[in-house]
Amino acid sequence: MTEIPEKAPDERSTGSSRRSLTLVFCAFISGLCSIIYELLIATTASYFLGDSVKFFSLTIGIYMASMGVGTYLSKYIERDLLVRFVQIELALAFLGGVSIPVLYFAYAWTSFFIHFYLIFTVTIGVLIGLEIPFLTRLMERYNQLKVNIANILSFDYFGALIATISFPFFLLPFFGVYQSSLLFGFANMSIGFAVLRVFGDEIGDRSRPLMRLTLVLTVLLAALIALSHYFLERWDQSLYEDRIVHSDQSRYQRIVLTKDRDDVRLYLDGNLQFSSIDEYRYHEALVHIPLSLSTRPAGRVLLLGAGDGLAARELLKYPDVREIVLVDLDPEMIDLARSNPHILALNGDALASDKVRVVLGDAFGFLQENRAPFDFIIADLPDPNNSGLARLYSKQFYRLVRNNLVPGGLLVTQATSPYFAPTAFASIAKTVEAAGFANLYPYHANVPSFGDWGFVLASDTALDPARPALKVETRYLDEANFAKHFLFEKDVIADGVEVNTLDRPALLDYYLAGWRNYR
């Protein structure tokens, strides 16, 4: 009988160190992927359904509770810990990787998005909850409990930190939500490879079928990544009636441009921003109604939002406009307005004018830092369909606007539809008034692609809507029908609404409730 030589102490020490380091690596990747899956699912739900506060809160709560369930269930698994750990990681890698593609599919082609959202959140949460108990138990053979807990949790938390930093600054801008989930499915799969490679002799005969399964799942994720552009093109097109001529995911939003004959439409995160057929109605109402009531020169104008350059086009018709400062958060939107031939044909290359200065940044932050007042401020911002945008319609925001105006200066803000969301429109008007403006003039215009659309004009100087003086040529506005824009039918007048504040963004609830049956 041949004796198997016993390993030398140095060999045993080296092997133990290698295995211990492998488990620490697993803890790091586990922390990295667990946070990313959570962020991806919450972001996707808020993109598609709005109300980011609600869906981030729900996702975090359900996720954490599911992790607790997984941790509790781990005590019932006592045998074959390495095999079970690899199986858990392979399931987690695959489900986490395909979670966002499946949610995209469910949103576009089924009515079960919320069901898939809950299934993935719960299942991934349970699997993640199993990880730390398994890793701690596997580390028992190498270190004391206090050392194991310190090593596992510290690297798990460090992985989570890397994930939270990389998500907004690297993953979303360069890969988008869809591809990020597949890439982190790959990262999660590396745990399976590492454990099978290092612990293969201990796992025994089961290591080969598990390695084959790992390779199959890796190839499947690779195929989904390779086909991601094809799928995203089909997915984008399924959401829009017209042909997509530009589609891009910036750090802040998804930008889509469609075209059908002469109709060019811009969508941000799926929300229509303009149609070339009737955008002149919106922008004439936004710019010319306030300036037709003002007796002072336009002078310096601040545009908050309006990165498409269409409002700037209208402002440049006024010879007394000395400077237009356009503040927009998204550089990719500005680049599109400066380079896309469809938009350039509409805005007349307004952003190239010597009078226009573009500032990339947050509107709130700009108002806090600016020291040179403006004669006219236009807040042409996206609708307040999430908490981040609702802050740009808050009392504190409008106070900053007022502080940035010269005495007697004008503010106008787009204020969503008084027909579809009357309480939201009324809340914006009440909030502007609460910010200290002495005179308020809500008005609206019919923009066929939007419907009845509202605006709020405010100033510390009294204006007279009955005595307009149009100073430029227009396609839609004329002095004869000017006063009708300030008249509202009684079925769109809402009372008893709250002021929108940073502490309590009541506007978000009004907006979502108003548009719920129309979008």
Side-chain angles (χ1 to χ4, degrees):
M1 183 174 178
T2 304
E3 290 188 10
I4 298 174
E6 187 178 341
K7 289 186 178 180
D10 287 346
E11 292 181 81
R12 288 199 299 269
S13 176
T14 302
S16 295
S17 176
R18 185 167 172 240
R19 294 182 179 199
S20 177
L21 287 173
T22 299
L23 294 175
V24 169
F25 164 80
C26 293
F28 173 78
I29 297 298
S30 169
L32 189 71
C33 294
S34 63
I35 294 295
I36 290 292
Y37 295 147
E38 184 178 6
L39 290 170
L40 288 170
I41 291 172
T43 300
T44 302
S46 62
Y47 273 0
F48 294 162
L49 303 180
D51 198 349
S52 57
V53 170
K54 180 173 79 175
F55 281 104
F56 269 89
S57 297
L58 282 174
T59 304
I60 292 169
I62 296 170
Y63 208 73
M64 296 296 289
S66 301
M67 287 173 63
V69 172
T71 301
Y72 180 81
L73 292 176
S74 68
K75 70 180 183 180
Y76 295 106
I77 304 173
E78 298 179 355
R79 299 175 56 187
D80 301 323
L81 291 185
L82 280 169
V83 172
R84 298 288 178 255
F85 181 66
V86 171
Q87 290 170 340
I88 288 167
E89 292 304 324
L90 296 184
L92 185 56
F94 181 71
L95 290 173
V98 303
S99 59
I100 303 308
V102 171
L103 288 176
Y104 271 51
F105 176 86
Y107 179 76
W109 291 293
T110 79
S111 58
F112 301 109
F113 175 85
I114 200 69
H115 302 83
F116 281 103
Y117 159 78
L118 290 171
I119 289 169
F120 278 114
T121 304
V122 170
T123 306
I124 292 173
V126 169
L127 291 172
I128 288 171
L130 291 166
E131 287 181 310
I132 297 300
F134 268 64
L135 284 168
T136 305
R137 289 158 67 183
L138 288 169
M139 287 282 282
E140 284 178 352
R141 66 188 81 175
Y142 308 113
N143 294 299
Q144 296 178 358
L145 179 61
K146 65 179 182 180
V147 177
N148 290 339
I149 294 294
N151 286 341
I152 294 297
L153 291 182
S154 61
F155 278 91
D156 184 77
Y157 294 155
F158 183 66
L161 173 64
I162 298 297
T164 55
I165 293 173
S166 64
F167 185 74
F169 297 110
F170 179 70
L171 291 175
L172 280 185
F174 292 101
F175 298 102
V177 175
Y178 184 95
Q179 287 188 333
S180 292
S181 71
L182 294 169
L183 288 172
F184 273 82
F186 260 121
N188 214 150
M189 202 72 71
S190 69
I191 294 179
F193 276 113
V195 172
L196 290 171
R197 179 74 178 84
V198 175
F199 293 89
D201 57 344
E202 187 174 338
I203 295 173
D205 293 339
R206 291 189 179 185
S207 64
R208 287 191 176 184
L210 284 173
M211 184 61 81
R212 284 196 292 269
L213 177 60
T214 304
L215 290 170
V216 168
L217 294 178
T218 302
V219 170
L220 183 56
L221 289 176
L224 289 173
I225 289 178
L227 294 171
S228 60
H229 288 293
Y230 173 83
F231 178 84
L232 284 172
E233 286 178 4
R234 299 298 178 275
W235 182 82
D236 273 342
Q237 194 60 68
S238 73
L239 299 179
Y240 304 98
E241 294 180 3
D242 302 333
R243 179 172 59 91
I244 294 174
V245 293
H246 177 87
S247 178
D248 191 21
Q249 173 68 53
S250 78
R251 175 180 167 186
Y252 304 101
Q253 58 201 344
R254 186 155 191 83
I255 303 170
V256 173
L257 203 63
T258 68
K259 188 174 189 298
D260 178 36
R261 290 169 291 184
D262 293 332
D263 188 9
V264 176
R265 297 190 174 211
L266 174 68
Y267 296 85
L268 300 180
D269 286 337
N271 299 308
L272 179 64
Q273 303 303 301
F274 69 74
S275 163
S276 62
I277 298 297
D278 56 23
E279 57 80 15
Y280 67 91
R281 282 177 161 248
Y282 174 92
H283 291 100
E284 286 186 9
L286 178 72
V287 173
H288 302 316
I289 286 181
L291 290 180
S292 296
L293 300 180
S294 176
T295 57
R296 57 181 301 116
R300 294 188 77 230
V301 182
L302 175 61
L303 272 174
L304 301 174
D308 52 35
L310 299 177
R313 175 198 66 197
E314 296 300 318
L315 286 167
L316 288 171
K317 294 178 180 180
Y318 292 84
D320 58 354
V321 169
R322 300 192 315 274
E323 181 185 23
I324 301 169
V325 179
L326 191 158
V327 180
D328 197 282
L329 189 62
D330 196 343
E332 295 197 30
M333 185 65 243
I334 297 297
D335 289 343
L336 189 71
R338 284 173 165 165
S339 61
N340 185 276
H342 302 296
I343 296 185
L344 282 172
L346 293 172
N347 68 24
D349 203 11
L351 300 190
S353 169
D354 293 338
K355 292 185 176 182
V356 177
R357 176 166 66 91
V358 175
V359 176
L360 294 174
D362 174 60
F364 210 110
F366 177 86
L367 291 170
Q368 288 176 316
E369 296 175 6
N370 178 62
R371 295 294 177 267
F374 293 91
D375 299 280
F376 183 25
I377 296 179
I378 300 175
D380 188 18
L381 298 159
D383 276 8
N385 60 9
N386 61 58
S387 57
L389 290 170
R391 66 192 271 274
L392 300 178
Y393 293 81
S394 65
K395 181 174 70 173
Q396 292 84 352
F397 178 77
Y398 292 127
R399 278 181 177 168
L400 285 174
V401 169
R402 188 167 179 267
N403 292 339
N404 278 268
L405 283 169
V406 299
L410 302 177
L411 158 70
V412 68
T413 179
Q414 80 90 3
T416 194
S417 171
Y419 178 79
F420 296 113
T423 52
F425 179 77
S427 177
I428 293 172
K430 189 171 183 177
T431 302
V432 172
E433 185 178 34
F437 284 94
N439 301 283
L440 211 66
Y441 304 93
Y443 64 96
H444 59 133
N446 179 33
V447 184
S449 60
F450 287 166
D452 187 33
W453 209 258
F455 307 84
V456 175
L457 170 63
S459 177
D460 287 335
T461 299
L463 307 173
D464 187 358
R467 301 180 63 183
L470 279 171
K471 305 176 182 73
V472 297
E473 290 189 10
T474 57
R475 295 173 60 188
Y476 164 63
L477 287 174
D478 63 52
E479 294 181 2
N481 68 12
F482 198 91
K484 73 176 185 180
H485 294 90
F486 294 87
L487 302 175
F488 290 85
E489 296 83 1
K490 64 181 181 180
D491 63 341
V492 300
I493 298 174
D495 297 317
V497 296
E498 294 182 39
V499 170
N500 186 53
T501 66
L502 291 176
D503 180 61
R504 173 159 170 69
L507 175 61
L508 179 59
D509 293 331
Y510 294 141
Y511 180 88
L512 294 174
W515 283 102
R516 183 172 292 123
N517 296 323
Y518 299 101
R519 287 185 174 175

